[in-house]
Amino acid sequence: MVAGELVQEHLRADTGAPDDITVKPREPQGAAERREDHTHGAAPASGAEETDASREQETEKEAQPDERAAMLPDGGGGEAEGEEGKKLETRLYWRRFAVLTVFSLYSLVNAFQWIQYSIIANVFTRYYGVANDKVDWLSIVYMVAYVPLIFPATWLLDRKGLRLTALLGAGLNCAGAWLKCASVSPELFGVTVTAQVICSVAQVFILGLPSRLASVWFGPREVSTACATAVLGNQLGTAIGFLLPPVLVPNTPNDVQLTGHNISVMFYGTAAVSTALFVLTVIVIKDRPPLPPSQAQAVLPDSPPEDYSYKQSIINLIKNKAFILLLVSYGIMTGSFYSVSTLLNQMIMACYENQELNAGRIGLTLVVAGMVGSILCGLWLDHTKTYKMTTLIVYILSFLGMVVFTFTLDLDDIYLVFFTAGVLGFFMTGYLPLGFEFGVEITYPESEGTSSGLLNAFAQIFGIIFTLIQGKLTTDYNPLAGNLFLCAWIFLGILLTALIKSELKRHNVNMGADSNHLQALPTECLGDCPLEKKSNGVKLEPSISFSRETSL
């Protein structure tokens, strides 16, 4: 009940107004200070000597009206700033929705460009006169390019910020789209390969941004939903990629010129949209708002300190046992989803003849159901903050969905396959934002981009491995063998997820701020540098009451 009351108090907090960490008596209402050496207490009145105990008592009992006044929509003042500290104000800006929308849209276009070849592979093989495997590599290159490039991409995100990374993602996406327009000729397959490689590099600067964007721009009660929405854009692009290319480029094997014209329409349309979104990215997306959206962001420095080491940040994450377990379990689940999505057509065609159209529709069902799952899981996390419990439950339900899908695939009922694929996609894709947000929580205050980038890298690695092995099993034996292979790995992922020690470090900072006590991080320093350097000089101490997940 105590945990429930704390969460309810957290949910009632006004995230649109500044939150104060320390309260200084005898100052105007709303004035707040943060001492470089501060403990969680009130500043002594003029000339008066107070003990630490009396300071805490003063904060909890007498200074409460000032703290409440500081929560007023007008901010209650807040002009005062001590010589030894800075104000820790928070505020939410309407611009955050524009930033989220623009990012989601250009992520959508990038995902569309990934799938636009494979969904009409027969058209492109005939038009360019190449084998199926070469067209398949136009999709595989997205996964191959991500693994080696994620490390420089996350380094750039840490050192140069959100804006430059977003500009690179949108700009490369736009450049690749225009280069595709120049490849519409049967002898220019090499040009379209080059264009797709550029788009795959753009993806590296896109997939790792959802958790960073959500943390930097959105408040504690909406950060998980924002992350899920950012991930949703990429999923929606894949869904549109299943639907639109077959409509824009129908199969016309006897008219090469008409095929080229249709491909041009699709490529030029994509390029035009990509250009508009690049312009909007330049105008809308900024590194961060003027004031942070949460106390977890307020205690972090605006830019990396002089002695910041990206290598040390990676080492810190590797030493985090909980994150390593999440890394492997996330890779297993997401890699399984990539494998199922890639081989879905082969599985359907092996069990149902002449069902090419329905195979595409089943793929669409898989993705759309996953989009709904992503949003609902994000909303649930924002409401409950039960990260490990939710992650474990969704993992178990994904396993059950995979088992049901495996043993009902060949029952000669195509409509049952629609249903089971939808259930499988709902939980498998709903897991994606869960993994991102859980990773941020257990690795705070390390960079969100670094943790998300590593999660995505492992997802791509497992995706490549699972796709090759499951494809071989499906071809040599049957879809049942390939799906059972994935079931075994997903069950292993359940065990690994259950072993994760859940410490919600970012959430604890926000909750500690609400109770006027900043107590969140572990006692040991993460890495070689003092912890205060990672938190703007604020000393974050361990909190027994908030060190584990809250539950309702």
Side-chain angles (χ1 to χ4, degrees):
M1 291 182 61
V2 174
E5 292 171 0
L6 289 171
V7 172
Q8 293 301 323
E9 179 65 19
H10 173 60
L11 295 175
R12 289 195 296 267
D14 183 4
T15 57
D19 294 332
D20 294 344
I21 302 302
T22 63
V23 180
K24 184 176 181 179
R26 302 185 183 181
E27 284 186 347
Q29 287 186 346
E33 292 185 339
R34 175 166 54 84
R35 305 289 184 183
E36 291 297 330
D37 60 342
H38 83 273
T39 58
H40 47 76
S46 55
E49 295 292 332
E50 295 181 352
T51 64
D52 291 340
S54 64
R55 290 178 183 176
E56 292 184 1
Q57 186 177 8
E58 179 71 8
T59 299
E60 295 175 1
K61 295 182 178 180
E62 298 180 13
Q64 188 67 25
D66 290 314
E67 182 183 15
R68 291 300 181 187
M71 306 287 280
L72 293 175
D74 61 1
E79 296 85 357
E81 179 173 348
E83 296 180 358
E84 302 177 8
K86 301 177 182 178
K87 293 181 296 183
L88 281 180
E89 293 185 80
T90 63
R91 179 180 175 185
L92 295 178
Y93 295 84
W94 283 104
R95 187 189 188 100
R96 69 190 189 278
F97 296 113
V99 172
L100 180 62
T101 300
V102 171
F103 170 79
S104 299
L105 288 176
Y106 80 72
S107 178
L108 179 154
V109 174
N110 183 260
F112 175 82
Q113 294 197 80
W114 163 59
I115 204 68
Q116 67 181 165
Y117 288 101
S118 60
I119 197 63
I120 50 173
N122 58 320
V123 174
F124 280 105
T125 54
R126 188 175 292 109
Y127 181 74
Y128 285 113
V130 296
N132 278 323
D133 61 336
K134 292 187 177 180
V135 174
D136 291 341
W137 271 99
L138 292 175
S139 296
I140 297 175
V141 69
Y142 263 62
M143 290 184 279
V144 173
Y146 190 90
V147 177
L149 294 179
I150 185 57
F151 296 103
T154 52
W155 177 88
L156 186 70
L157 179 61
D158 287 345
R159 299 300 299 185
K160 302 300 181 181
L162 179 66
R163 176 175 169 81
L164 178 60
T165 307
L167 288 175
L168 282 173
L172 290 172
N173 199 48
C174 178
W178 280 108
L179 187 57
K180 288 180 182 180
C181 297
S183 70
V184 185
S185 180
E187 67 275 5
L188 295 179
F189 181 72
V191 178
T192 205
V193 170
T194 304
Q196 188 72 341
V197 170
I198 294 175
C199 293
S200 69
V201 175
Q203 176 212 212
V204 181
F205 299 99
I206 294 174
L207 289 187
L209 263 60
S211 56
R212 165 63 70 90
L213 186 149
S215 296
V216 169
W217 281 93
F218 287 82
R221 292 187 295 175
E222 57 190 11
V223 61
S224 297
T225 305
C227 181
T229 304
V231 173
L232 178 71
N234 203 267
Q235 299 166 6
L236 183 59
T238 303
I240 295 176
F242 276 115
L243 282 180
L244 208 53
V247 175
L248 296 176
V249 189
N251 190 15
T252 55
N254 298 323
D255 194 338
V256 177
Q257 289 186 345
L258 180 59
T259 301
H261 172 75
N262 292 334
I263 293 175
S264 292
V265 170
M266 180 174 68
F267 283 169
Y268 274 102
T270 306
V273 174
S274 299
T275 303
L277 290 173
F278 175 68
V279 173
L280 287 175
T281 302
V282 174
I283 297 172
V284 172
I285 295 186
K286 304 295 182 185
D287 282 331
R288 59 183 65 248
L291 290 176
S294 65
Q295 294 298 336
Q297 285 295 311
V299 300
L300 295 177
D302 292 337
S303 59
E306 293 296 329
D307 58 352
Y308 171 81
S309 170
Y310 175 72
K311 178 181 178 181
Q312 185 61 47
S313 180
I314 296 292
I315 293 175
N316 294 341
L317 293 177
I318 294 175
K319 290 180 178 179
N320 189 326
K321 296 180 181 179
F323 181 69
I324 294 299
L325 290 172
L326 178 64
L327 204 60
V328 178
S329 61
Y330 183 89
I332 291 173
M333 175 63 75
T334 311
S336 298
F337 175 75
Y338 289 163
S339 183
V340 170
S341 300
T342 303
L343 301 173
L344 183 64
N345 182 270
Q346 296 182 31
M347 289 189 284
I348 299 300
M349 297 306 298
C351 300
Y352 302 90
E353 294 182 1
N354 302 320
Q355 292 291 339
E356 294 90 348
L357 185 59
N358 276 331
R361 291 171 178 171
I362 291 172
L364 177 65
T365 303
L366 188 79
V367 176
V368 172
M371 291 162 53
V372 177
S374 293
I375 291 297
L376 292 181
C377 286
L379 290 170
W380 175 257
L381 277 189
D382 280 331
H383 181 67
T384 65
K385 301 300 181 183
T386 53
Y387 288 84
K388 179 178 177 178
M389 182 184 299
T390 304
T391 301
L392 185 59
I393 290 175
V394 171
Y395 219 118
I396 293 173
L397 292 175
S398 298
F399 170 74
L400 295 177
M402 189 68 203
V403 171
V404 173
F405 176 79
T406 298
F407 289 101
T408 59
L409 182 61
D410 59 350
L411 293 183
D412 199 25
D413 188 346
I414 192 70
Y415 296 105
L416 179 61
V417 178
F418 270 93
F419 175 76
T420 56
V423 173
L424 182 63
F426 180 90
F427 292 112
M428 270 192 164
T429 311
Y431 175 82
L432 300 182
L434 293 179
F436 277 160
E437 285 296 285
F438 196 14
V440 172
E441 289 289 341
I442 62 179
T443 61
Y444 179 88
E446 298 297 340
S447 169
E448 301 92 344
T450 305
S451 61
S452 297
L454 288 175
L455 288 171
N456 275 322
F458 267 66
Q460 306 292 343
I461 293 172
F462 276 96
I464 295 171
I465 295 173
F466 285 175
T467 300
L468 293 176
I469 296 177
Q470 187 189 9
K472 182 68 172 175
L473 291 173
T474 301
T475 302
D476 293 350
Y477 299 97
N478 50 52
L480 178 65
N483 287 332
L484 287 176
F485 166 78
L486 289 186
C487 288
W489 276 96
I490 295 174
F491 182 76
L492 175 61
I494 294 175
L495 301 180
L496 295 176
T497 302
L499 294 175
I500 296 176
K501 182 180 180 182
S502 176
E503 292 188 75
L504 308 185
K505 300 173 183 178
R506 180 183 63 177
H507 175 59
N508 296 344
V509 172
N510 293 322
M511 292 291 286
D514 288 343
S515 62
N516 206 32
H517 294 277
L518 265 185
Q519 300 175 320
L521 297 182
T523 53
E524 68 271 12
C525 176
L526 296 177
D528 297 333
C529 63
L531 194 59
E532 290 83 351
K533 291 186 178 181
K534 296 185 179 183
S535 56
N536 255 355
V538 177
K539 184 179 181 181
L540 304 180
E541 300 176 356
S543 170
I544 297 176
S545 59
F546 294 117
S547 62
R548 298 291 181 268
E549 283 190 4
T550 55
S551 59
L552 294 178

